[in-house]
Every structure is written in structure tokens, then in C-alpha cells.
Amino acid sequence: MSSLRKALLSLLTVSMVAIGNQSALAMPSQEPTQVAGDPTSMTSGFYVDPNSNPATWVRQNPGHADATLIRTQIAEKAGGRWFGNWSGDITAATRSFTTAADSADKLPILIAYNIPGRDCGSHSGGGAGSPEAYRTWISRFADGIGTRPAVVIIEPDALAQLDCVPAAEKQTRLDLLKYAVNQFASKNPNTWAYMDGGNATWIEAGEMARRLKLVEVGKIRGFALNTSNYYTTAQSVTKGNAIRGAVGGGQFVIDTSRNGNGSNGEWCNPAGRKLGDTSRNGNHVSGTVDMLLWLKVPGDSDGSCGIGTGIPAGTFSPVLAKRLITGS
């Protein structure tokens, strides 16, 4: 860690003690600024996960005809790492990942994906076994990050899928997501956290804004759109600005990992999709877009469906990867 960053961290810690929780309760600024606590100004680009599924596959299959293509077009690009009930000791897992990124002076992207009743029991079903288990898990997730710079996406689909949650459990889910927001707001001063807000055609903007406010999104940086989906960046910007207007502020990020050809209306391993813009600052798209990010790992299956039939969710496939590279 550079001496400048150490000084920034020290200054930020003193400031947080002086103002208590007031900063956490404020709505995020209308425009992004380069100040202490801004993880993009404390790092030199996004972290490339050396242990992503594509990177691991390339190492294990150096002689494969598509190994070089997948290495250069996917494995060597910065993207997110997903954490869930497969991650073991979650504090150790997030600490290890963010420490490695910090040592490289890069900004890591983490996705928290362990809400009880995850994915409504579909291809990516699972999650923590109880509300109490989730509170412990997400608290320890935040503990592992500490003051290191990070980007965190909170629980893809959890708000958008609220309608599939039994009526008696809806408030519990909202309470858990609000708890997650407050964990990151209070424990991670150099993390920009974003609550997942669905995609361009899923949940009307006013309703999504209502849900985001219920989980106190104003205490974190903002919300995320298009996670693991295919809608164009332009479609997501339009939807994001509509949500933002209804929320009353905040920034958003867009998953561009597989949106190069847009959506054909299918969500589960559809054919003809293509890699989108690599992870980068989003200001050239819109002043309200913080970042374009590869959140979904290209080549990881959405489930046993579409052109990925027989490939479980989260499993890397060189066939799926190559089709995203070629747009076939």
C-alpha cells in the first residue's frame, strides 16, 4: 500500500470518528467525486482475478485449441468474484481476495450471493439456511474487506425476485438486505457498495425505486443493473436514470460482461450473445453511471438450459466462452 493511500486511510478514519454516522445516513452525491473514500482514486484500475473459472481452465488446458483465445479475451480481463455458501470461511475469503488486489494496487469486484431462498429455488437456488445465518455471513463478509478499497454488488435478483417470496417472508428479506446495506455502510469506508436493482425490463422503475428505498440504498453508493443479463448499456442507462430519479439520487453500475449483442428476450444461456465493454469507468456513457463491470463471469453457465443444457449454473464451459467471444 502506498504512503499516499495510507495517509488517506488515516485521514478518513479520523474524519469518520469525528462525524459519527452522519456520512452513512446521507444520500450519495449526485455526481461521482475523487475524494478520500473513493476506491477508484485509491487504485490503478480493476483487479483481474487470477483464480477465476476461465483462468483456472486455461491453466489446466494449455493445449486446448481455444486456450489462447479464452485467455486473452476473457481470463485476462477484470471481473467480479462471486461469494456464497461455497466460499467457506467468508471473512477469510473476502480478506484474501481484497488483500491480493490491494497488494497489486487494483480495485476488486465482489458479489455477495447468499440470501436465503436465493434465485427462488431455480438454477442458482440455495443461500444461507436462516435469517440469523445470513446476518452472520454478511457481517463477516464486510469484516473481511475492512478498509481496503473494493466494489461490492449486494445480492443479485434479491429485490427483483421479491414477488416470488412467500408473503410472510417478504419483510424478512427486506430486513436482511437492509442489514447488508448497513454492514457495508458502517464497516467499509473505502467500499462502493451497490444493491442489485434488476434489469432494463424487469420491475418498473418506480417500484424498484420503492424497494431500494425500503432497504436504505441511500446509505451506500447506489444500485446495480443487468447483473448476469444481456440488455444493452443504452437500455440500462435509460432504466437506471429512471430509477435514480425516483429514488432521489445515487449512482449505478451496469454489468456489460455479455451484452455486446443485446438481449433476445431470453436469460438462460441464449445463443448469439457477445462480450460487452470490459470493466471501466462509466463516465463516458453517462455522468450517473459509475462503472461498466464484468459481473457475470463470461463462460460460466446460467444453468442447464439454452445452449448450456447439461452444464450446471456457475460451471465454466469453453464452448459457452467461445460463443460469447465470437457472438455465435
Side-chain angles (χ1 to χ4, degrees):
M1 182 181 293
S2 68
S3 58
L4 174 60
R5 284 178 52 199
K6 288 180 180 178
L8 285 171
L9 287 174
S10 177
L11 176 61
L12 180 65
T13 299
V14 171
S15 299
M16 288 182 68
V17 171
I19 65 176
N21 293 325
Q22 292 178 10
S23 62
L25 294 172
M27 178 63 68
S29 60
Q30 296 297 302
E31 301 297 337
T33 54
Q34 301 296 315
V35 297
D38 174 353
T40 65
S41 69
M42 302 172 72
T43 49
S44 59
F46 294 99
Y47 183 58
V48 177
D49 183 359
N51 296 309
S52 68
N53 285 346
T56 299
W57 181 86
V58 167
R59 284 196 299 271
Q60 294 174 346
N61 298 274
H64 193 284
D66 296 322
T68 298
L69 182 68
I70 292 171
R71 174 177 59 79
T72 59
Q73 298 302 306
I74 295 178
E76 293 179 347
K77 307 299 183 183
R81 179 182 288 187
W82 292 61
F83 296 83
N85 47 326
W86 58 84
S87 299
D89 182 333
I90 191 59
T91 300
T94 57
R95 179 185 294 125
S96 175
F97 189 62
T98 55
T99 297
D102 196 40
S103 297
D105 195 32
K106 299 297 183 181
L107 182 58
I109 305 162
L110 301 85
I111 299 98
Y113 195 49
N114 200 34
I115 198 77
R118 188 179 62 211
D119 198 30
C120 295
S122 188
H123 295 289
S124 296
S130 68
E132 294 74 18
Y134 182 76
R135 290 188 184 92
T136 297
W137 185 87
I138 201 69
S139 175
R140 292 177 177 171
F141 186 116
D143 289 341
I145 297 172
T147 59
R148 286 178 291 277
V151 169
V152 173
I153 309 302
I154 304 172
E155 298 299 341
D157 298 343
L159 274 181
Q161 289 182 334
L162 189 63
D163 295 332
C164 85
V165 177
E169 300 173 14
K170 291 183 189 296
Q171 188 59 51
T172 297
R173 172 163 291 195
L174 292 171
D175 289 344
L176 291 178
L177 294 173
K178 181 165 64 175
Y179 183 83
V181 163
N182 280 276
Q183 288 297 298
F184 295 115
S186 63
K187 292 182 176 180
N188 307 127
N190 300 310
T191 288
W192 277 357
Y194 303 86
M195 178 63 63
D196 190 78
N199 62 49
T201 64
W202 191 15
I203 311 299
E204 183 270 330
E207 171 60 16
M208 180 51 71
R210 184 188 73 85
R211 297 182 188 187
L212 287 166
K213 287 190 282 188
L214 286 175
V215 300
E216 300 183 347
V217 72
K219 293 184 179 181
I220 55 176
R221 183 67 180 175
F223 56 95
L225 292 175
N226 204 49
T227 305
S228 297
N229 220 294
Y230 303 88
Y231 292 99
T232 65
T233 299
Q235 288 174 296
S236 296
V237 169
T238 298
K239 181 65 171 289
N241 282 329
I243 293 173
R244 182 176 181 270
V247 169
Q251 302 293 118
F252 59 96
V253 297
I254 299 168
D255 184 355
T256 55
S257 59
R258 306 185 296 180
N259 75 344
N261 281 345
S263 172
N264 66 353
E266 300 175 17
W267 67 268
C268 201
N269 298 319
R273 303 311 96 201
K274 194 172 185 179
L275 300 175
D277 286 333
T278 53
S279 299
R280 63 187 65 183
N281 184 292
N283 287 345
H284 71 287
V285 176
S286 167
T288 58
V289 180
D290 270 340
M291 291 167 276
L292 306 180
L293 302 174
W294 278 18
L295 298 179
K296 176 70 175 184
V297 179
D300 279 9
S301 176
D302 294 322
S304 180
C305 48
I307 59 173
T309 298
I311 307 171
T315 300
F316 178 78
S317 164
V319 174
L320 293 178
K322 185 174 182 179
R323 293 187 69 158
L324 286 171
I325 294 169
T326 61
S328 61

